[in-house]
Amino acid sequence: MSTPTPQTSGTDRTVAVAWAVAAVVVALAAAFIAWLSVGGGGGGQQSSAPSTSAGADTTPAPGQDDVGEDGAGQDGAGQQGSTPTDGGSASEPPPADPGAAEQTPPPEVAQMMLDLQRRDPQDPMAVGDVDAPVVMIEYADYRCPYCARFHLEIRPELLPLVEDGTLRIEFRDFVIFDETSQLAAVAGRAAAEQDRLQEFQSAVFALSTDGHGEYGQQEILEIAEEVGVPDLAEFEADLSDPELVAAVEADGEEARTIGVSSTPTFLINTQVLQGAYPAERMVEIIEEQRQAASEQS
């Protein structure tokens, strides 16, 4: 007499699939981290590449802000919470190296990078067509001087590509400093809820052009009023909205999971850039990625 084969419940199958998916995600994240750690993400020679701010296995280029082991912000000179004053000040960052390494990521890493694109038409932190051939994911901290440089000087030169449908920019919060950065990140989302994200970001980033800006909730409320946030009471209430706080934390967790080590870090389809590169170079990379996407479609 044969013994009946035990039936696998739907719950068991769901759990098994969940574990399998988690294993794949971890493996891809490990591959991405390994690829970045050997310089696959671009940035040229680290002694001359642009700066960033985060903390992981890669060594930041001069001028980049890094996150130390304790999670506190640290600049490219190794001084936590400060920006170097000689040859790497926030007001006069070292010139970005226009020659990012043109390495092609392994197929599984390239696919993971593309899968990070949300292309959500309801995403208040993004600009550009959801079906744009090139998506640039930006990981940034509002108190990072090099993120400020990108937003105030470089990003405006990329907006024509957004307007003509070539580029979509998806902003991701990567809080690497202290509660001030966290406050700014949640406030940015509160401003986005009332369609004032771009204006708010420009005003807040302007406070960090000469170093890591210092401000509190009152200053944030004044900025919101200055940039025309229509409902200031709602904006203030949103500063403690659990959903907005969770969204900021989720973005940071995503960045850490894939091994982002500095801000600003950009994923332009399958090209990684760490630092505030010249607009001309970023435009070249966007065009290269547009052509690659066109060839694969």
Side-chain angles (χ1 to χ4, degrees):
M1 176 178 176
S2 61
T3 303
T5 302
Q7 298 296 312
T8 302
S9 69
T11 300
D12 290 341
R13 285 195 297 270
T14 300
V15 171
V17 170
W19 276 109
V21 171
V24 170
V25 170
V26 171
L28 289 177
F32 189 50
I33 293 170
W35 185 64
L36 281 177
S37 69
V38 298
Q45 297 178 349
Q46 291 184 330
S47 61
S48 61
S51 318
T52 64
S53 350
D57 300 329
T58 59
T59 301
Q64 297 176 345
D65 284 322
D66 276 342
V67 175
E69 292 181 358
D70 60 355
Q74 176 178 341
D75 61 38
Q79 299 172 335
Q80 290 190 351
S82 65
T83 303
T85 56
D86 296 328
S89 67
S91 58
E92 294 185 70
D97 183 356
E102 300 298 329
Q103 297 187 28
T104 302
E108 66 274 14
V109 175
Q111 186 58 53
M112 188 200 74
M113 293 171 66
L114 294 175
D115 289 344
L116 287 170
Q117 299 174 1
R118 293 172 184 169
R119 296 183 180 271
D120 179 1
Q122 304 303 317
D123 184 355
M125 308 302 290
V127 295
D129 295 344
V130 293
D131 57 352
V134 181
V135 174
M136 180 172 74
I137 300 173
E138 173 195 0
Y139 295 97
D141 183 299
Y142 282 93
R143 297 179 64 231
C144 160
Y146 293 88
C147 300
R149 178 186 174 193
F150 169 75
H151 266 265
L152 299 175
E153 301 177 14
I154 301 169
R155 188 177 185 273
E157 297 190 43
L158 305 182
L159 291 182
L161 296 175
V162 173
E163 295 167 357
D164 71 13
T166 299
L167 177 66
R168 177 176 173 84
I169 302 176
E170 297 184 351
F171 182 88
R172 309 283 167 87
D173 290 296
F174 188 20
V175 175
I176 65 171
F177 293 110
D178 54 21
E179 63 274 8
T180 302
S181 293
Q182 175 73 13
L183 169 64
V186 177
R189 291 180 177 272
E193 292 290 307
Q194 300 192 45
D195 197 28
R196 289 295 186 275
L197 175 64
Q198 307 308 316
E199 298 87 345
F200 182 84
Q201 285 185 327
S202 295
V204 175
F205 276 121
L207 300 177
S208 292
T209 56
D210 294 323
H212 306 295
E214 296 293 343
Y215 43 83
Q217 182 165 321
Q218 183 57 42
E219 288 79 9
I220 288 293
L221 293 173
E222 292 172 358
I223 290 173
E225 183 175 11
E226 290 171 3
V227 301
V229 171
D231 190 335
L232 293 175
E234 180 181 345
F235 176 86
E236 183 172 9
D238 282 345
L239 295 181
S240 56
D241 186 325
E243 290 187 7
L244 299 187
V245 172
V248 170
E249 293 174 349
D251 277 0
E253 183 60 29
E254 175 186 282
R256 286 185 290 272
T257 297
I258 65 174
V260 173
S261 62
S262 56
T263 60
T265 289
F266 305 93
L267 308 187
I268 306 176
N269 276 14
T270 60
Q271 174 71 54
V272 182
L273 293 183
Q274 295 175 302
Y277 276 68
E280 296 81 1
R281 181 61 190 140
M282 298 191 81
V283 169
E284 289 177 0
I285 292 174
I286 291 168
E287 175 57 22
E288 292 167 2
Q289 292 294 319
R290 186 197 65 78
Q291 292 179 3
S294 177
E295 293 171 358
Q296 294 174 5
S297 60

